[in-house]
Amino acid sequence: MQVESGQSDILVVDDNPANLLAVEAALGELGARMVRAQSGSEALKLLLSQDFALILLDVKMPSMDGFETARLIRGRRRSSHTPIIFVTAHGRDDREVLAAYELGAVDFLFKPIVPEVLRAKASVFVELQSRTREVARQAELIRDHERREHERSLAAERSRWEAEALHRQMEQLADVDRRKDQFLALLGHELRNPLAPMMAGLQLLRAGIASFPPLEKS
């Protein structure tokens, strides 16, 4: 399942359905979509195909506890930087808190959770994802604009190159035509020089023939 554009999702991981309902009720006003998981393995499957603004992760769960789940979440490139808030119903244990922060947790909450506190903390990450998404959208718009400008620049350069190539071709054709005219003029001049005395001789021959008396018929 892919994240819908413009909507932030929060993954709530807890083996107790009542706790899942309580968290969902507390965060209902955020306008984010709550995605439930009742085990660490179920959460990991969801993270294979979906991104989340925040993960609320229960510490004490059977089979795979919250710390082991967080370690696997951090080991995956896609979810390595997803914010995690650990939640526990047990008394404060500084060692657990330290372990949580070593796994990259952004906070550590104790049950019963105060809805206003949870909502305030979660809203920060929902807003952060929303702004990150907007920045990515703006960056994509800028890339599209730069790509279009580059294509226009290439088209203009191609048109200029084609116009210059056509201009050079026209100049070459004009030069060929000029050389042809020069050649024909030279050829005409060279032909007229030897033909002039021949034409003069022919004219004299015609004049001489015309002066002869006509032949009498026998």
Side-chain angles (χ1 to χ4, degrees), residues 75-217:
R76 294 177 174 178
R77 186 176 62 84
R78 179 166 181 166
S79 58
S80 60
H81 299 291
T82 303
I84 297 175
I85 294 179
F86 281 102
V87 181
T88 183
H90 296 269
R92 181 183 181 90
D93 185 333
D94 289 340
R95 289 175 299 178
E96 286 191 343
V97 174
L98 179 60
Y101 287 125
E102 286 176 348
L103 288 168
V106 296
D107 212 335
F108 199 106
L109 299 179
F110 297 90
K111 300 175 185 177
I113 297 174
V114 179
E116 291 79 10
V117 173
L118 178 59
R119 198 157 46 242
K121 292 179 181 295
S123 65
V124 172
F125 300 103
V126 170
E127 178 65 19
L128 177 62
Q129 189 188 59
S130 177
R131 295 194 179 201
T132 300
R133 185 180 290 125
E134 178 61 21
V135 169
R137 190 184 71 83
Q138 293 293 335
E140 182 61 29
L141 290 175
I142 291 172
R143 284 193 294 270
D144 287 342
H145 175 73
E146 290 176 345
R147 184 164 53 250
R148 288 193 296 270
E149 286 299 316
H150 181 64
E151 290 172 353
R152 278 196 287 267
S153 177
L154 285 178
E157 183 66 19
R158 188 180 300 110
S159 296
R160 186 184 66 79
W161 182 85
E162 290 175 349
E164 289 180 354
L166 180 61
H167 180 69
R168 286 194 299 269
Q169 186 178 18
M170 294 298 293
E171 287 184 339
Q172 291 172 355
L173 290 175
D175 184 61
V176 169
D177 192 56
R178 185 168 55 254
R179 290 174 181 272
K180 180 196 67 175
D181 290 343
Q182 292 174 350
F183 172 75
L184 291 177
L186 179 62
L187 181 62
H189 176 74
E190 294 296 330
L191 288 175
R192 282 195 297 271
N193 287 339
L195 288 177
M198 294 176 63
M199 292 297 295
L202 287 174
Q203 289 176 355
L204 290 174
L205 183 59
R206 286 198 190 101
I209 293 174
S211 64
F212 291 160
L215 297 175
E216 293 181 359
K217 296 180 179 180

Side-chain angles (χ1 to χ4, degrees), residues 2 11 21 30 36 51 73 127 162:
Q2 298 297 324
L11 177 60
L21 285 173
L30 284 183
R36 303 179 185 181
D51 297 323
I73 289 172
E127 178 65 19
E162 290 175 349

Side-chain angles (χ1 to χ4, degrees), residues 1-4 7-13 32-37 42-56 73-74 76 78-84 122 125-130 132-133:
M1 180 171 55
Q2 298 297 324
V3 179
E4 295 178 9
Q7 186 175 26
S8 296
D9 292 355
I10 297 176
L11 177 60
V12 186
V13 188
R33 182 171 55 189
M34 300 296 112
V35 179
R36 303 179 185 181
E42 185 180 351
L44 292 171
K45 288 179 182 178
L46 288 168
L47 285 161
L48 287 174
S49 59
Q50 189 170 349
D51 297 323
F52 294 92
L54 174 65
I55 300 173
L56 293 172
I73 289 172
R74 289 287 178 254
R76 294 177 174 178
R78 179 166 181 166
S79 58
S80 60
H81 299 291
T82 303
I84 297 175
F125 300 103
V126 170
E127 178 65 19
L128 177 62
Q129 189 188 59
S130 177
T132 300
R133 185 180 290 125

